[in-house]
C-alpha cells in the first residue's frame, strides 16, 4: 500500500513540476576577438527546438547536445542543453534572440539576452601550452611613419599581417574600418597582395601588406587612431598524418586587431605666421598667369592662380586677385591635378578666373601673395607674384568721371524749379452733403458680417482639430519645414564652412525623417539604405546621399575652398530633388 502511495505522490509531483527553458551565456561583455558560448537549457524533453538567427554573430560551432537525468532521494531531475559557440561580427550592443520548444502542446520561449561587444582585447596565452596555435603565430601590426607631426603634415599608416612559416592563411575579412576622426585620410590602392619575409620580434616571419593610408591631422593635441580588426581563416599543423603520411592541417579561425594608436600633433607656430596664411603646409611654388595681356573690346582673358608642389594640396584655399572696377571678373573654376602616395599629396591646384574688360585703357592686377609653412625649415615662407598689366586696345572710353564733372550743371537746372514748389498740383475736394451712417452699406455690412463668419469659424475649427489630431502628418510637415529651413540656412552660410556643413547635415537628416517616417535613433547607414531602396530610390542616388552625409562630418574639420562648398551645396540640392521625385 505504501509503495502505491509513493508512486502516486511521485506522479503528482511530476504533474506539478514547473517547465523551465532559459538561455545562458558565458559572458555579457566581450571583445570583438573573443568567443561567446550560448547554452539553451530545459528541464523537460521538449520537441521541435528552434534556434535563434544569431544576428550580428558568426557561428563557429554547434549545436552540441547534452542530456542528463538523475534520481536523488526519490526525486527525478532532467536536463537537456543545446550549446553554441559564436564570434561577434561588429562592435556595439547585440541581442541573442528567443529560442522556442514545444511541450504538451504548448510553446515555450527563452528571454532575449543583451550582449555588449567592445573593441578587440589582448588575450593571455597559457605558458604551458606548447602546441601550434594561431594566437602566437599571427599578428596584425600598424606601422606609423611619425607619431609627433605638425598639423597638416602627412603621416602614413601601413597595416601588415605577420604570420609564421608553419601557418597558412586561407581567407580574411575586414570587420570594422577605422574612421580616422580629426584626420583627412586617403587610402592607397594595393593592386595585388604579395607575401614577403621580414623580422618581427627578433624572428623571421612572412608578412602581407593589407592596407596603406595617408593621414593629415586637422587639429593639434593627442589624436586617437581606431584599431583595425580582421577575421582570418587559418590552417594549423597537427601531430596527425593521413594514410599517405602527409600532415593533417586543422582549420581554425582567428580574430586579430592592430590596437589603438595615439598621435601627438604639434600646432603650427604662431611666431611669424603671416596674416594671409590659409593653412598650406609643405613645399610649394606660386604663380599668377594671364592667358593674354593685350585684347580688344568684347574679348576676354583667363587669369590662372596656381600652386604646385608637395603638401596638403586639397586642404587650403588660394588667394583671390583684386582687379579694377573696369574689369568684370567671374567666379573661378577650381581644378585639381593631385596624386596621393605614401609620401603624401603632390601635384597642382588652380583657380581659373575669366575677366572681361568694359572700357579702353590700361588696368593693373595687384601683386598677390601666397604663404605656407615649410616643413623642412620649420618656418613660414611667402611668395609674391608680379603685377599683371592688362592693356585694352579698343572699346568705349570710361565716362564715369566726366559724369561727375557735369553733375553741377544738372543741380542748377533742378534749383530753377524750386521756385514753383508752392503751387499745389492735386486737389482734395470734400462734398457738402454727408450721408448718414445708420442704414448705409457700411452699417449693413458690419451688422451681418459676424453672422456670415460663423460657418467659416466652425469649418476652420474642425479643420484645425483634424490637423492637430494627425500626429504623423504634423511630424512629416514639421520635418519638411525644418529641411527647407536648414537648406536655406546652408545657402546663407555658404561662406562660413563649419555653420554651412552643420546646416546642410541637419537639412538632409530632416529630409530623411519626413520621407522615411523615422527618428534620429533609427538613422543607421544600413537602415537608411534599406528604406530608400524599398521606396524605389535609385542605388546611385542612395549611395550619393549617404556619401554626402558622411562628408558633412569630415568637412567640418578639413579646410575647404568656396568652390568646394558651393559644389557640395549644389550636389545636395540635386540629390534631394532626385530622391523627392523617385520616392
Amino acid at each position: 500500500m505504501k509503495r502505491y502511495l509513493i508512486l502516486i505522490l511521485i506522479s503528482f509531483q511530476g504533474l506539478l513540476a514547473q517547465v523551465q527553458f532559459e538561455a545562458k551565456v558565458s559572458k555579457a561583455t566581450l571583445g570583438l576577438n573573443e568567443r561567446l558560448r550560448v547554452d539553451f537549457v530545459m528541464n523537460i524533453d521538449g520537441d521541435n527546438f528552434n534556434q535563434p538567427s544569431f544576428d550580428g554573430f558568426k557561428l563557429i560551432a554547434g549545436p552540441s547536445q547534452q542530456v542528463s537525468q538523475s534520481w536523488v532521494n526519490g526525486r527525478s531531475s532532467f536536463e537537456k542543453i543545446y550549446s553554441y559557440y559564436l564570434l561577434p561580427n561588429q562592435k556595439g550592443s547585440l541581442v541573442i534572440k528567443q529560442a522556442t520548444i514545444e511541450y504538451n502542446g504548448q510553446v515555450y520561449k527563452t528571454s532575449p539576452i543583451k550582449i555588449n561587444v567592445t573593441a578587440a582585447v589582448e588575450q593571455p596565452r597559457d605558458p604551458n601550452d606548447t602546441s601550434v596555435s594561431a594566437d602566437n603565430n599571427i599578428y596584425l601590426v600598424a606601422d606609423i611613419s611619425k607619431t609627433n607631426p605638425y598639423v597638416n603634415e602627412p603621416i602614413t599608416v601601413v597595416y601588415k599581417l605577420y604570420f609564421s612559416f608553419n601557418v597558412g592563411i586561407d581567407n580574411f575579412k575586414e570587420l570594422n574600418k577605422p574612421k580616422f576622426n580629426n584626420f583627412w585620410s586617403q587610402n592607397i590602392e594595393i593592386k595585388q597582395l604579395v607575401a614577403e619575409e621580414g623580422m618581427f620580434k627578433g624572428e623571421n616571419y612572412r608578412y602581407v601588406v593589407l592596407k596603406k593610408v595617408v593621414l593629415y591631422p586637422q587639429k593639434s593635441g593627442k589624436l586617437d587612431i581606431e584599431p583595425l580588426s580582421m577575421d582570418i581563416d587559418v590552417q594549423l599543423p597537427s601531430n596527425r598524418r593521413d594514410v599517405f603520411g602527409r600532415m593533417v592541417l586543422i582549420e581554425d579561425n582567428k580574430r586579430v586587431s592592430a590596437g589603438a594608436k595615439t598621435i601627438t600633433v604639434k600646432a603650427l607656430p604662431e611666431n611669424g605666421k603671416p596674416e594671409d596664411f590659409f593653412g598650406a603646409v609643405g613645399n610649394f611654388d606660386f604663380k599668377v598667369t594671364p592667358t593674354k595681356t593685350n585684347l580688344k573690346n568684347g574679348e576676354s582673358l583667363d587669369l590662372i592662380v596656381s600652386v604646385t608642389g608637395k603638401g596638403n594640396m586639397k586642404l587650403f584655399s588660394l588667394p583671390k586677385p583684386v582687379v579694377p572696377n573696369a574689369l568684370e571678373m567671374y567666379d573661378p573654376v577650381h581644378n585639381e591635378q593631385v596624386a596621393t602616395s605614401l609620401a603624401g599629396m603632390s601635384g597642382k591646384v588652380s583657380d581659373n578666373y575669366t575677366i572681361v574688360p568694359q572700357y579702353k585703357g590700361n588696368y593693373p592686377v595687384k601683386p598677390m601673395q601666397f604663404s605656407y609653412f615649410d616643413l623642412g625649415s620649420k618656418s613660414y615662407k611667402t611668395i609674391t607674384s608680379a603685377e599683371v598689366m592688362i592693356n585694352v586696345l579698343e572699346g568705349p572710353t570710361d565716362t564715369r568721371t566726366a559724369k561727375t564733372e557735369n553733375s553741377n550743371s544738372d543741380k542748377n537746372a533742378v534749383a530753377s524749379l524750386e521756385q514753383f514748389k508752392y503751387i499745389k498740383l492735386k486737389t482734395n475736394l470734400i462734398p457738402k452733403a454727408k450721408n448718414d451712417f445708420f442704414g448705409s452699406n457700411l452699417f449693413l455690412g458690419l451688422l451681418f458680417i459676424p453672422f456670415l463668419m460663423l460657418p467659416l469659424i466652425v469649418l476652420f475649427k474642425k479643420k484645425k482639430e483634424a490637423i492637430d489630431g494627425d500626429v504623423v502628418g504634423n511630424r512629416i510637415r514639421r520635418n519638411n519645414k525644418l529641411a527647407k529651413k536648414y537648406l536655406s540656412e546652408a545657402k546663407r552660410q555658404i561662406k562660413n564652412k563649419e555653420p554651412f556643413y552643420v546646416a546642410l547635415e541637419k537639412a538632409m537628416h530632416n529630409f530623411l525623417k519626413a520621407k522615411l517616417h523615422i527618428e534620429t535613433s533609427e538613422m543607421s547607414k544600413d537602415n537608411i539604405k534599406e528604406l530608400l531602396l524599398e521606396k524605389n530610390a535609385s542605388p546611385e542616388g542612395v549611395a550619393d546621399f549617404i556619401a554626402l552625409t558622411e562628408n558633412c562630418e569630415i568637412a567640418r574639420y578639413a579646410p575647404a575652398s568656396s568652390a568646394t562648398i558651393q559644389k557640395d551645396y549644389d550636389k545636395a540640392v540635386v540629390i534631394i530633388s532626385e530622391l523627392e521625385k523617385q520616392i
Side-chain angles (χ1 to χ4, degrees):
M1 184 65 182
K2 291 183 179 179
R3 181 181 302 174
Y4 292 117
L5 183 59
I6 291 173
L7 290 175
I8 292 172
L9 290 174
I10 292 175
S11 301
F12 184 70
Q13 183 181 3
L15 292 174
L16 294 177
Q18 186 178 4
V19 175
Q20 295 181 355
F21 181 44
E22 58 183 345
K24 299 180 180 179
V25 294
S26 56
K27 56 178 68 177
T29 301
L30 70 156
L32 190 61
N33 58 334
E34 293 184 295
R35 296 188 180 187
L36 176 71
R37 175 174 174 171
V38 183
D39 293 330
F40 297 97
V41 184
M42 63 191 80
N43 66 342
I44 42 88
D45 190 8
D47 299 324
N48 299 327
F49 171 75
N50 290 319
Q51 69 184 45
S53 58
F54 298 123
D55 295 334
F57 292 90
K58 178 181 179 181
L59 181 61
I60 300 300
S64 61
Q65 180 179 333
Q66 302 177 23
V67 178
S68 62
Q69 188 171 10
S70 61
W71 287 82
V72 179
N73 296 328
R75 290 189 175 184
S76 172
S77 64
F78 178 87
E79 187 176 64
K80 188 175 184 180
I81 303 174
Y82 289 92
S83 300
Y84 297 83
Y85 290 89
L86 310 174
L87 265 177
N89 288 329
Q90 62 192 51
K91 294 189 296 183
S93 181
L94 304 179
V95 176
I96 303 294
K97 296 182 180 179
Q98 294 176 318
T100 62
I101 60 170
E102 293 182 8
Y103 184 70
N104 289 338
Q106 292 187 359
V107 177
Y108 296 89
K109 299 180 180 180
T110 60
S111 299
I113 300 179
K114 186 177 180 180
I115 304 297
N116 184 29
V117 181
T118 63
V121 298
E122 184 178 356
Q123 296 177 333
R125 180 176 176 267
D126 186 359
N128 298 321
D129 185 6
T130 59
S131 63
V132 176
S133 67
D135 293 337
N136 59 338
N137 285 278
I138 298 177
Y139 301 92
L140 181 61
V141 178
D143 288 338
I144 300 178
S145 61
K146 194 170 186 179
T147 58
N148 190 25
Y150 282 100
V151 172
N152 271 317
E153 180 180 359
I155 61 174
T156 58
V157 183
V158 179
Y159 293 95
K160 297 179 181 179
L161 181 66
Y162 285 91
F163 53 99
S164 60
F165 288 88
N166 58 351
V167 173
I169 303 295
D170 278 348
N171 188 22
F172 53 85
K173 181 179 67 174
E174 195 171 301
L175 292 178
N176 59 324
K177 297 181 179 180
K179 294 182 180 180
F180 303 118
N181 293 328
N182 299 314
F183 291 92
W184 183 94
S185 63
Q186 176 69 54
N187 288 326
I188 305 299
E189 182 182 1
I190 300 177
K191 297 182 179 179
Q192 185 177 2
L193 298 179
V194 179
E196 301 180 28
E197 296 184 10
M199 296 295 294
F200 181 70
K201 292 187 175 182
E203 299 180 4
N204 285 325
Y205 275 81
R206 290 182 296 170
Y207 72 89
V208 175
V209 177
L210 300 179
K211 191 180 184 71
K212 299 178 182 179
V213 185
V214 177
L215 302 178
Y216 283 83
Q218 298 302 297
K219 60 183 293 188
S220 60
K222 292 187 177 182
L223 304 182
D224 293 329
I225 297 178
E226 295 182 357
L228 172 67
S229 299
M230 306 197 74
D231 188 1
I232 303 174
D233 294 331
V234 297
Q235 292 179 339
L236 303 174
S238 67
N239 296 326
R240 296 181 289 118
R241 297 184 179 273
D242 59 14
V243 295
F244 300 103
R246 295 174 299 190
M247 181 182 296
V248 176
L249 298 178
I250 301 174
E251 301 287 341
D252 198 1
N253 180 272
K254 174 66 176 175
R255 293 281 177 92
V256 292
S257 173
K261 304 292 183 181
T262 300
I263 307 297
T264 303
V265 182
K266 296 180 291 186
L268 296 177
E270 293 294 329
N271 186 22
K273 179 183 290 187
E275 293 182 359
D276 58 351
F277 178 69
F278 293 103
V281 177
N283 189 8
F284 305 101
D285 186 21
F286 175 66
K287 291 182 179 179
V288 178
T289 308
T291 54
K292 53 185 174 181
T293 56
N294 298 320
L295 63 161
K296 300 177 181 179
N297 181 35
E299 295 181 340
S300 64
L301 64 92
D302 288 339
L303 189 66
I304 303 173
V305 181
S306 63
V307 171
T308 58
K310 179 180 177 182
N312 58 334
M313 303 294 295
K314 299 181 180 181
L315 303 178
F316 58 81
S317 300
L318 296 175
K320 185 176 181 179
V322 178
V323 299
N325 293 333
L327 301 179
E328 185 175 2
M329 185 173 67
Y330 294 89
D331 291 337
V333 176
H334 186 73
N335 296 312
E336 293 181 353
Q337 299 174 356
V338 180
T340 305
S341 64
L342 282 180
M345 289 185 281
S346 61
K348 176 181 179 181
V349 293
S350 62
D351 285 341
N352 192 339
Y353 294 87
T354 299
I355 297 177
V356 180
Q358 303 296 315
Y359 304 101
K360 179 181 177 180
N362 298 327
Y363 303 100
V365 177
K366 296 181 180 180
M368 301 171 59
Q369 290 185 338
F370 175 75
S371 300
Y372 66 94
F373 182 75
D374 184 16
L375 292 171
S377 61
K378 294 181 174 53
S379 62
Y380 293 97
K381 294 185 178 181
T382 301
I383 304 174
T384 304
S385 67
E387 182 182 79
V388 177
M389 182 64 70
I390 299 175
N391 303 316
V392 184
L393 304 178
E394 297 179 3
T397 303
D398 190 355
T399 60
R400 290 175 293 179
T401 56
K403 287 181 179 180
T404 57
E405 294 175 358
N406 296 331
S407 61
N408 293 329
S409 61
D410 295 335
K411 290 180 180 178
N412 294 331
V414 172
S416 63
L417 299 176
E418 293 291 323
Q419 56 182 322
F420 301 103
K421 189 175 182 180
Y422 65 91
I423 298 177
K424 195 169 184 179
L425 301 177
K426 293 183 179 180
T427 60
N428 187 16
L429 302 177
I430 301 174
K432 292 182 178 181
K434 294 184 178 180
N435 296 326
D436 192 7
F437 174 74
F438 185 81
S440 65
N441 293 333
L442 179 60
F443 173 80
L444 295 176
L446 293 176
L447 180 62
F448 291 105
I449 280 177
F451 297 98
L452 297 175
M453 290 290 292
L454 287 176
L456 297 177
I457 294 173
V458 173
L459 291 175
F460 176 79
K461 184 177 179 182
K462 290 184 177 180
K463 182 67 176 178
K464 187 176 183 303
E465 291 176 351
I467 293 175
D468 293 340
D470 185 9
V471 178
V472 176
N474 287 335
R475 188 171 66 236
I476 294 172
R477 285 188 287 273
R478 183 176 66 254
N479 291 330
N480 267 325
K481 290 180 180 178
L482 288 174
K484 294 178 181 178
K485 171 186 172 183
Y486 286 121
L487 196 60
S488 300
E489 177 66 17
K491 187 174 182 179
R492 287 195 298 270
Q493 299 290 345
I494 205 163
K495 293 184 179 180
N496 301 317
K497 175 176 66 67
E498 187 167 347
F500 167 80
Y501 282 108
V502 170
L504 186 61
E505 185 177 11
K506 289 182 178 179
M508 300 180 76
H509 281 181
N510 282 284
F511 172 78
L512 286 179
K513 291 181 181 179
K515 300 305 175 184
L516 302 183
H517 308 165
I518 60 176
E519 296 298 331
T520 304
S521 59
E522 300 172 294
M523 282 191 184
S524 65
K525 184 171 69 176
D526 294 336
N527 193 27
I528 292 172
K529 183 176 181 181
E530 180 181 354
L531 292 175
L532 286 175
L533 292 176
E534 287 179 359
K535 291 183 175 291
N536 300 323
S538 65
E540 295 81 7
V542 174
D544 291 342
F545 187 91
I546 294 175
L548 183 59
T549 304
E550 295 176 345
N551 183 53
C552 289
E553 179 66 22
I554 299 174
R556 293 185 199 174
Y557 306 102
S561 65
S562 59
T564 303
I565 295 175
Q566 180 66 46
K567 188 184 297 182
D568 286 342
Y569 174 78
D570 295 339
K571 187 175 182 181
V573 173
V574 172
I575 291 173
I576 290 176
S577 300
E578 291 298 324
L579 289 178
E580 180 81 23
K581 295 175 184 178
Q582 294 168 4
I583 295 176

